Amino acid sequence: EPEVTQTPSHQVTQMGQEVILRCVPISNHLYFYWYRQILGQKVEFLVSFYNNEISEKSEIFDDQFSVERPDGSNFTLKIRSTKLEDSAMYFCASLLEAVDTQYFGPGTRLTVL
Amino acid sequence: DQQVKQNSPSLSVQEGRISILNCDYTNSMFDYFLWYKKYPAEGPTFLISISSIKDKNEDGRFTVFLNKSAKHLSLHIVPSQPGDSAVYFCAASPRGATNKLIFGTGTLLAVQP
């Protein structure tokens, strides 16, 4: 069964450093998403991406964040200058237009020291 | 942001009995609702969904009920099994093309053998 994959599973970085989180969505899906879950809190929407551009972004998704689909398979989230409060699980999801169900990857745990 | 609420942080049920997980929402623009199951350090796994044009959807042991007038939905699991023990998230999607999901805070279900 096709699935969303994410790398790395755990990323540790120093405050102020740039990180890139990688996702490979399900191959025939057209919509892509990033969510995050801070420990003990709810899963929060960050950004949606369709047709090579951002469809919607939340207030969390400020200028420090960017997304890219550099080729036909990868979908990346970049945080330019990480802050302590960016520590969270980051989940990628993808959706096929005809089916309104988002499928999530296993997540990347980002720890900012 | 309390648009989707799960007021019970935890629920304990005996194996073989019914589990009922509840979810309330406030935004009348939501027209698609989903339940996800999540284990620690994993991504949310889709369980079942329902469109606002329906009031019930069933898939095996899982049934979701939607009461639009009360802005309430529930997930019934019958019979409950120990493998069902996980955190269950209710999510809602507002009308529009981006399909972003708004998640509840989750309910930890423990099914006792």
Side-chain angles (χ1 to χ4, degrees):
Chain A
E1 185 175 321
E3 57 183 19
V4 178
T5 59
Q6 291 185 243
T7 54
S9 57
H10 191 188
Q11 174 91 48
V12 181
T13 189
Q14 295 290 324
M15 188 170 57
Q17 294 296 304
E18 174 183 287
V19 294
I20 297 176
L21 310 183
R22 291 182 167 80
C23 168
V24 179
I26 296 173
S27 62
N28 59 341
H29 285 194
L30 299 176
Y31 293 82
F32 313 108
Y33 306 84
W34 284 100
Y35 293 82
R36 78 174 185 188
Q37 185 181 29
I38 295 171
L39 188 64
Q41 298 186 22
K42 63 172 67 177
V43 177
E44 301 174 290
F45 167 78
L46 291 179
V47 66
S48 59
F49 191 86
Y50 171 72
N51 200 25
N52 281 320
E53 60 182 24
I54 290 174
S55 307
E56 185 173 356
K57 57 184 180 181
S58 71
E59 292 176 353
I60 303 167
F61 194 90
D62 61 22
D63 292 344
Q64 293 301 311
F65 291 86
S66 63
V67 289
E68 192 177 36
R69 187 155 164 82
D71 52 42
S73 60
N74 291 284
F75 180 51
T76 62
L77 174 69
K78 181 193 290 186
I79 309 175
R80 289 187 182 81
S81 178
T82 50
K83 302 188 281 272
L84 295 176
E85 54 264 37
D86 293 328
S87 295
M89 283 289 289
Y90 287 80
F91 297 106
C92 173
S94 68
L95 176 148
L96 180 64
E97 186 168 14
V99 180
D100 293 323
T101 300
Q102 292 181 31
Y103 291 91
F104 284 76
T108 293
R109 177 172 297 283
L110 176 64
T111 301
V112 182
L113 303 176
Chain B
D1 180 0
Q2 292 288 313
Q3 296 187 75
V4 179
K5 291 184 282 190
Q6 294 175 256
N7 291 319
S8 298
S10 64
L11 175 68
S12 182
V13 171
Q14 287 292 317
E15 181 178 5
R17 306 293 291 268
I18 184 171
S19 296
I20 300 176
L21 297 101
N22 294 301
C23 178
D24 297 292
Y25 62 96
T26 56
N27 191 336
S28 58
M29 295 296 287
F30 292 150
D31 65 348
Y32 194 67
F33 304 89
L34 307 91
W35 284 94
Y36 286 86
K37 174 181 177 180
K38 187 179 179 304
Y39 295 112
E42 293 185 13
T45 301
F46 170 73
L47 274 178
I48 192 168
S49 61
I50 188 166
S51 164
S52 60
I53 62 173
K54 294 185 174 181
D55 54 17
K56 178 182 174 182
N57 189 26
E58 193 170 354
D59 184 2
R61 295 187 298 115
F62 301 93
T63 303
V64 55
F65 296 92
L66 175 62
N67 182 333
K68 290 185 290 293
S69 60
K71 294 190 174 68
H72 177 84
L73 65 156
S74 61
L75 174 68
H76 292 209
I77 306 174
V78 182
S80 301
Q81 299 172 354
D84 295 329
S85 298
V87 178
Y88 288 77
F89 288 97
C90 165
S93 182
R95 295 189 184 101
T98 63
N99 298 97
K100 71 176 182 184
L101 295 177
I102 310 299
F103 281 85
T105 48
T107 297
L108 174 61
L109 174 65
V111 180
Q112 310 295 333

